[in-house]
Amino acid sequence: MHLRRLSTSPRRARAAAAVLVSVAAAGCTDSTAPSSAVAATRPAATAITIVPDTANALAVFVAFSVHNADSARVLYRAGANAEQATATVAVHDSAQVPILGLPAGVAATVRVVAISGTRADTSRSMTGPVPPVPDVVRRVHLQTTSGSPSGGYVLTAVSLGDTAYAVAFDTSGRVAWYRAFPGGGQASDAYQQPNGNVSVFVGTSTGSSPANGYFAELRPTGELVREWRTPAGYYMDGHELRVGDSGAASYYFGYDYKPTDYTSRGGPADSVVAAHTIFRVDAGGTVTPVFAARDHFTVPDYVIPPFNFGDYDHPNSLDVDRDGGLIVSWRNFGEVSKIDPATGQFVWRLGGAHNQFTFVNDPLNGFGGQHYARVLPNGNLLLFDNGWTHAPYETRAVEYRLDVAAHTATLVWQFRHQPVLFTPFVGSVQRLASGHTFIGYAYSNVATEVDAAGAVTWEGDIFIDGALSTETAYRLLKIPSLSQYGLP
């Protein structure tokens, strides 16, 4: 088994206990108990304590006990912000409710609402300690350059010195959530999984270099749930992890090395080349290879420049179709494939040397060097076309309707940025629940939201220390909530 499950609750309990002692000494605990007469007639919350989140200074836990109550919620306010409420949670005796997205350097004031049926009682207010201001909050922001943000958060990863961060920006552009990985190299592929957790690749691998890394799966509070690592003999590829929800299988890419003859491409005859395997992890943690690129592609299939003679295939996205098939983007081959994970065989192949489709209504006749291929709820294929096959080079977002029987790929929507942008590597595109499309020109650290007609409704840039970031983000993704998964 190569999936390591970490049970953090005992450590969390010990750490929380230590923090509770220090916070209580600072006057942040409400130990007022109701009288026996009152306790017999109304719900109440007691022993309220504000516990800092050691993984995120922009979050706290509110711990409390309840009497005559079956559920509770927390009302909270920080600085000049209006009072907000957490979701209502079921409570038997006690609970610890997280509050996320707090402003930095401002104490949170909380009240607990204890509920029993239609009856409710709200505790008195109490204020926690002032948290520190993390380096990433002081130095990094997402600056709006046009339009107005539509809500939610923008999730990505940045590196400051020797510390890698997963970060989420709110609509004001401030860092509202983060998780730091000191000394971890670089972070990439920060992604909110369907189970509500956030996965982040930590390491220095580019997808073909002999440098290992791992995916950290985190609860929204920053607590480590799992580390995802490859079987022995393989390196972890940081482009994609898809965590299955409710017992479904999970998938990731791993790669190993073998000598390969690249003379047909003007390279050496004995180039040591990284090629990828798709691995499936079942609910019990068993890891199984389901598709090896070397078994299905050849050197002449490498058609997208620039040529890297150490990188055979370079898969950069993996999605699970509605029927369980795998949708894989192969950057070097200029191909998006559907693969049956049960047989390890192609279902269809779009683009590249083995293209099975005719492109219809597409003025640029296909895509090249693409990223982030995703199946939409209507079955269409949405992808980020980096544009290596276009003359002149141009990056765009495109949506195709595939007719597998007729072998046609009909372009039904596209967005072409004005002025033209060319982002040679990385990038992402999402269809939002509103019908808008969110495009991450990550190589340029630019994010753009457009409506169904292609009109830009918002655009923003990542700034570090007051200047446009010179680091390359991997993806810029929209998420509706920090605490739970939802369609963007």
Side-chain angles (χ1 to χ4, degrees), residues 374-419:
R374 290 293 191 265
V375 177
L376 298 177
N378 64 4
N380 289 353
L381 183 71
L382 182 70
L383 59 85
F384 185 84
D385 175 16
N386 291 76
W388 278 98
T389 57
H390 309 321
Y393 293 142
E394 178 187 351
T395 298
R396 60 179 179 160
V398 289
E399 178 185 348
Y400 294 105
R401 183 176 64 249
L402 302 184
D403 186 326
V404 177
H407 298 289
T408 57
T410 302
L411 187 144
V412 296
W413 182 90
Q414 67 171 328
F415 175 74
R416 302 171 71 173
H417 195 281
Q418 295 297 325

Side-chain angles (χ1 to χ4, degrees), residues 56 69 98 131 198 244 248 285 299 316 322 354 372 396 419 422-423 437:
N56 183 350
V198 172
V299 169
N316 55 33
R322 297 172 299 173
H354 300 278
Y372 210 79
R396 60 179 179 160
F422 175 55
T423 56
T437 302

Side-chain angles (χ1 to χ4, degrees), residues 384 395 420-427 440-447 460-463 468-474 476:
F384 185 84
T395 298
V420 170
L421 286 178
F422 175 55
T423 56
F425 306 104
V426 302
Y441 299 94
Y443 188 82
S444 305
N445 290 295
V446 174
D461 302 335
I462 297 178
F463 274 64
L468 183 65
S469 174
T470 58
E471 292 190 11
T472 298
Y474 174 48
L476 297 163

Side-chain angles (χ1 to χ4, degrees), residues 9-217:
S9 54
R11 182 170 65 252
R12 166 69 69 179
R14 292 193 296 271
V19 174
L20 287 173
V21 172
S22 62
V23 174
C28 296
T29 300
D30 175 12
S31 298
T32 304
S35 67
S36 57
V38 172
T41 59
R42 67 172 174 83
T46 63
I48 302 167
T49 307
I50 300 176
V51 185
D53 184 347
T54 57
N56 183 350
L58 308 180
V60 296
F61 297 93
V62 180
F64 55 90
S65 298
V66 295
H67 304 269
N68 302 321
D70 51 35
S71 59
R73 64 178 177 270
V74 177
L75 309 177
Y76 63 95
R77 176 175 50 82
N81 293 346
E83 189 172 63
Q84 302 179 65
T86 67
T88 299
V89 297
V91 183
H92 178 59
D93 294 316
S94 61
Q96 185 168 267
V97 176
I99 299 175
L100 307 176
L102 296 171
V106 178
T109 299
V110 306
R111 299 185 295 157
V112 178
V113 182
I115 304 167
S116 176
T118 59
R119 296 182 300 159
D121 184 79
T122 303
S123 73
R124 67 179 179 86
S125 298
M126 61 177 306
T127 301
V130 177
V133 180
D135 196 37
V136 70
V137 174
R138 290 188 296 102
R139 299 177 57 189
V140 182
H141 72 281
L142 181 62
Q143 179 170 302
T144 293
T145 56
S146 67
S148 300
S150 60
Y153 301 84
V154 177
L155 181 66
T156 190
V158 298
S159 296
L160 299 175
D162 67 348
T163 301
Y165 294 90
V167 299
F169 301 97
D170 66 12
T171 54
S172 73
R174 75 177 180 94
V175 174
W177 178 94
Y178 73 94
R179 177 59 152 83
F181 300 89
Q186 296 178 332
S188 64
D189 192 30
Y191 190 85
Q192 189 180 53
Q193 300 288 345
N195 62 9
N197 293 339
V198 172
S199 61
V200 187
F201 179 76
V202 183
T204 57
S205 172
T206 59
S208 60
S209 54
N212 220 334
Y214 66 96
F215 278 96
E217 184 182 349

Side-chain angles (χ1 to χ4, degrees), residues 1-6 181 184 200-204 211-217 224 226-238 240-241 243 250-255 277 279-281 285-288:
M1 181 183 297
H2 302 280
L3 171 63
R4 185 160 61 126
R5 298 182 181 271
L6 302 181
F181 300 89
V200 187
F201 179 76
V202 183
T204 57
N212 220 334
Y214 66 96
F215 278 96
E217 184 182 349
L224 182 63
R226 300 181 182 95
E227 290 181 355
W228 296 78
R229 298 181 183 269
T230 53
Y234 290 86
Y235 292 90
M236 175 66 82
D237 184 287
E240 190 89 73
L241 166 69
V243 177
S250 303
Y251 296 93
Y252 59 74
F253 300 115
Y255 58 95
T277 297
F279 289 95
R280 178 179 59 229
V281 185
T286 300
V287 181
T288 306

